[in-house]
Amino acid sequence: MSPTKSSFLQMVKFIKRDKMLLATAIAPILAGLAIKFGIPLIEKGLVSLTGAREVLVPYYGIFDILLAALTPVMIGFVVAMIMLEERDDHIDKYLFVTGLGRKGYFLSRIGLPAGFALLVTLILLPLFCITRLSIAEIALLAIVGTLQGILISLMVLTFSTNKLEGMAVTKLSSLIMMGCLIPFFVPTPLRYVFTFMPSYWTGAGIAEGNALLMLPGVGIAALWILILYKVKD
């Protein structure tokens, strides 16, 4: 077994023992159920209450975007908390000088969980989405969402010195997910101020019905990840 795989499996065992972290990891499934069945029910109630033809329907795409980002972000939070604990206990420095190395450590703690998050998102999104998404839209939403999860993990590790600070930074850094709201509510040209946010481009792609508009989000997220990784180097 490779050192990277062994390190990843050790982290999985730790998550299994920590019920709070395990609950965080399965939260996206509960959120998916709430979106799939709860949002249409709320829409029906609002239509009945207001007499409008539709209330939330024009914004259904926002819920799908957030669903696509939720699994990677939640998993990113879990692994960031584990890495902060390992930093506090100086375990990470020990692992850096083993056969695992620094790159192997980050691959086992962030890269492999991100790959798992991508796979889970590709499964959950078609099951729980409330709009008709094309294969390209599903794939790009999952990719950008996964990159955002990695980005948030690195932000937590970069700007936190302990788990308490990590939780606070996670809440603040999760605001980068809110960029998807901009294309729906902010007029041009003011909206272009937010183009540095990867989630802005997922919002633009869904709002305009053009999956290609999500591609810049992939590049922007990858650039932010590279910058933060270099800062950690």
Side-chain angles (χ1 to χ4, degrees):
M1 183 182 295
S2 69
T4 301
K5 183 178 179 181
S6 177
S7 177
F8 172 70
L9 292 177
Q10 287 176 357
M11 183 181 66
V12 172
K13 290 179 181 178
F14 178 82
I15 293 174
K16 286 182 178 179
R17 292 197 301 268
D18 192 316
K19 296 298 187 292
M20 181 173 143
L21 292 180
L22 184 58
T24 301
I26 64 173
I29 298 176
L30 301 178
L33 290 169
I35 289 173
K36 181 69 173 182
F37 301 105
I39 298 302
L41 189 62
I42 293 173
E43 167 70 3
K44 185 180 294 186
L46 289 174
V47 168
S48 176
L49 183 65
T50 63
R53 294 188 60 183
E54 55 185 25
V55 180
L56 295 178
V57 170
Y59 310 110
Y60 271 13
I62 294 174
F63 296 101
D64 288 342
I65 295 170
L66 294 176
L67 177 61
L70 188 58
T71 298
V73 168
M74 297 298 285
I75 291 179
F77 165 74
V78 170
V79 300
M81 292 300 104
I82 291 173
M83 293 175 75
L84 284 175
E85 185 169 332
E86 289 176 338
R87 181 197 291 173
D88 290 342
D89 296 335
H90 305 290
I91 295 174
D92 57 345
K93 292 182 175 60
Y94 166 76
L95 293 173
F96 287 169
V97 298
T98 66
L100 182 66
R102 187 177 185 278
K103 289 184 178 180
Y105 175 76
F106 275 90
L107 179 60
S108 67
R109 292 295 186 269
I110 295 180
L112 294 182
F116 174 73
L118 175 62
L119 179 61
V120 171
T121 302
L122 289 171
I123 294 172
L124 294 183
L125 190 54
L127 287 176
F128 297 128
C129 65
I130 51 178
T131 62
R132 292 184 179 181
L133 297 173
S134 67
I135 294 176
E137 288 172 332
I138 291 172
L140 286 169
L141 283 174
I143 291 170
V144 177
T146 299
L147 291 174
Q148 285 183 122
I150 297 174
L151 177 57
I152 289 174
S153 294
L154 290 175
M155 289 179 70
V156 171
L157 293 171
T158 301
F159 301 112
S160 307
T161 58
N162 54 57
K163 291 178 72 174
L164 183 61
E165 289 182 2
M167 295 181 72
V169 174
T170 298
K171 292 178 181 178
L172 290 174
S173 59
S174 295
L175 292 175
I176 66 173
M177 296 168 55
M178 297 298 103
C180 66
L181 301 175
I182 304 302
F184 287 89
F185 299 108
V186 179
T188 53
L190 182 59
R191 69 173 60 175
Y192 298 127
V193 173
F194 301 93
T195 54
F196 69 95
M197 304 172 72
S199 59
Y200 167 87
W201 297 99
T202 55
I206 295 299
E208 301 293 333
N210 185 356
L212 292 177
L213 289 176
M214 301 185 203
L215 289 176
V218 176
I220 291 171
L223 179 60
W224 278 113
I225 289 169
L226 179 61
I227 292 172
L228 287 173
Y229 182 76
K230 290 298 183 182
V231 170
K232 291 295 299 172
D233 204 347

